[in-house]
Amino acid sequence: MKVKGYAFICASWGYEKRLPAYIREHEAELGLRENRPFFCLMHRPPKGTVVSPRVSTSCDERPTKTMSKYPNCVCFCGHKHKSATSEHSLWQGAFTCVEVPAMQTVQTD
């Protein structure tokens, strides 16, 4: 879907494996190759991006490989519930990934 000209792709729990096919099918329609960023919202983090020393649950590598083709991709994910101030909550590589914590675990230290 597009909001104010920006593409948003949502892959809720269990749909991460379908994300690569969806992106391939809708790339032109959503304008994913344009210079402007697009946003991918996922529950579990893409493998090899935001990591936690305590929890290692993440998607398989397919979403990571797909989004790596788009440096303009900004992925927001959750699942691990760690502090927003953790250095592991932000990953910048071939694309950008931000882990959004549960509000009950937001810390300021």
Side-chain angles (χ1 to χ4, degrees):
M1 92 174 90
K2 280 197 170 188
V3 177
K4 295 188 177 188
Y6 291 92
F8 285 80
I9 300 170
C10 302
S12 62
W13 183 275
Y15 288 93
E16 298 99 346
K17 292 178 182 178
R18 298 179 188 172
L19 184 66
Y22 181 86
I23 287 177
R24 277 193 307 274
E25 291 170 19
H26 298 279
E27 178 184 71
E29 169 191 341
L30 293 172
L32 303 185
R33 293 279 180 197
E34 296 174 6
N35 289 333
R36 66 179 28 205
F38 72 90
F39 305 95
C40 186
L41 312 172
M42 303 173 63
H43 184 80
R44 292 185 293 177
K47 187 171 187 167
T49 61
V50 292
V51 295
S52 171
R54 297 186 305 175
V55 183
S56 62
T57 305
S58 62
C59 294
D60 65 27
E61 61 191 20
R62 287 176 279 190
T64 306
K65 286 182 178 181
T66 299
M67 289 185 286
S68 292
K69 298 174 186 173
Y70 303 92
N72 57 327
C73 177
V74 180
C75 178
F76 291 97
C77 60
H79 190 70
K80 294 186 182 175
H81 308 284
K82 64 182 173 285
S83 171
T85 59
S86 168
E87 66 182 43
H88 302 286
S89 293
L90 177 65
W91 179 85
Q92 291 180 290
F95 60 98
T96 300
C97 189
V98 181
E99 184 179 27
V100 181
M103 291 307 295
Q104 71 185 51
T105 59
V106 172
Q107 300 170 3
T108 57
D109 58 340

